[in-house]
Amino acid sequence: MSGPRLAQAASISTAPPAAEEYTFRTLTRDFLRDAGRIWSYPVHVQARDIVPIAALATVTGLLVANDESIYRGFWTYRDGHGWVRAVSPVITKMGSWGAWGTAGAFLAVGLIAGDKKSTETAVLAANAMLQSELLVGFLKGLFGRQRPEAAGGVDHWSGPAGFFKMYEKGKLGFYDSFPSGHAITAFTLATVLAMQYRETVWVPILSYTVAAGVGLSRLTESKHWLSDVLVGGALGCLVGRLVVRNHRRRYHVTPMAGLDHGSLSFAVTLAR
């Protein structure tokens, strides 16, 4: 007896791959796939993304117009509060080697304790932070914005010419302020951790609190303008989210069940 085929599908997450499944080949493949998604993001913007992007652009423009006075305010506050001068140079490290050290700690726990989720988190964090480094390096060279410390808090944009200016004697790192590399790294890591351990309430809270502290420390350390930090943080959240979501799409099963020509049928599709 025949009849119409009735099928329903639903996706569910599989367990993360075992540590031994992470090979140079698979890591390179996934990295390149993620890079493709990240660099092509502008051509895949959806209608729901337009309002947040427009809001970010508007706020960034307002901050750029007021960055010099905001910077002076932060610097004055720093001078008047000893705890800021003590904490700032410490927490700012979480936007550089501290972030990579955190990823390394997750990897060590994963390998030693056999914790697949910890290993997966380390791999995703390393992937996402490296993606962020490449992205922010390109943008820094494109905009060539002068750091606050370069000219006593005077804002100046050199564009692509700044990439070459920073290699002049005594000017290394003076023209790569926008966006903040520490902020993008800190928020990339925070987003990966928050998405991986979203069921544990304190993890997202702590992760984003530390990332915010890193961002603010870039002003009190005279390394960045507030708009640098805002854009760096936003890009970090975007990159971290894209990498985690892409990974989850690669590892899922789709069970299907229904009637096919009068017979009950089942199918399972594994996406890798």
Side-chain angles (χ1 to χ4, degrees):
M1 180 177 182
S2 62
R5 180 174 181 175
L6 304 175
Q8 293 182 332
S11 296
I12 60 175
S13 298
T14 64
E20 58 269 18
E21 292 183 30
Y22 292 114
T23 64
F24 179 78
R25 177 178 173 275
T26 60
L27 292 175
T28 302
R29 179 199 63 196
D30 291 348
F31 180 85
L32 292 176
R33 287 179 177 177
D34 291 337
R37 292 286 298 177
I38 291 168
W39 289 90
S40 65
Y41 176 78
V43 300
H44 292 105
V45 171
Q46 300 181 10
R48 66 173 181 268
D49 300 324
I50 295 177
V51 172
I53 292 174
L56 176 63
T58 301
V59 174
T60 300
L62 291 174
L63 289 180
V64 168
N66 296 278
D67 265 335
E68 291 184 359
S69 60
I70 293 173
Y71 165 75
R72 289 192 293 271
F74 269 87
W75 195 249
T76 300
Y77 187 84
R78 176 188 184 277
D79 283 346
H81 296 80
W83 70 269
V84 176
R85 295 193 299 274
V87 173
S88 179
V90 176
I91 194 171
T92 202
K93 297 295 190 296
M94 285 303 298
S96 56
W97 59 263
W100 287 96
T102 301
F106 272 91
L107 180 61
V109 171
L111 295 179
I112 295 172
D115 187 337
K116 291 183 179 181
K117 188 171 185 178
S118 183
T119 302
E120 179 189 47
T121 301
V123 170
L124 291 175
N127 180 353
M129 288 191 293
L130 184 54
Q131 302 279 4
S132 293
E133 292 286 345
L134 295 174
L135 176 61
V136 80
F138 170 77
L139 294 176
K140 284 175 179 288
L142 180 64
F143 290 102
R145 190 181 195 184
Q146 190 170 256
R147 291 183 184 270
E149 64 180 355
V154 176
D155 189 16
H156 179 70
W157 301 70
S158 298
F163 176 80
F164 301 99
K165 284 186 177 182
M166 68 180 179
Y167 290 106
E168 295 176 5
K169 186 177 181 180
K171 295 184 178 181
L172 182 63
F174 275 12
Y175 296 93
D176 56 353
S177 186
F178 184 87
S180 168
H182 279 63
I184 194 173
T185 298
F187 276 93
T188 297
L189 176 62
T191 300
V192 172
L193 296 180
M195 293 182 71
Q196 284 291 95
Y197 295 92
R198 61 185 181 279
E199 71 281 357
T200 305
V201 178
W202 65 267
V203 173
I205 294 175
L206 178 60
S207 299
Y208 284 117
T209 298
V210 171
V214 170
L216 294 177
S217 75
R218 302 312 287 163
L219 278 83
T220 54
E221 290 299 296
S222 195
K223 298 297 183 181
H224 285 287
W225 311 96
L226 186 55
S227 57
D228 300 341
V229 173
L230 173 66
V231 175
L235 290 175
C237 291
L238 175 63
V239 171
R241 185 171 294 274
L242 285 176
V243 168
V244 174
R245 285 185 172 179
N246 291 344
H247 177 78
R248 290 176 179 173
R249 289 190 186 102
R250 295 184 193 114
Y251 298 93
H252 72 274
V253 293
T254 304
M256 302 181 65
L259 293 175
D260 187 8
H261 301 292
S263 300
L264 186 62
S265 62
F266 296 91
V268 177
T269 302
L270 175 63
R272 291 294 299 273

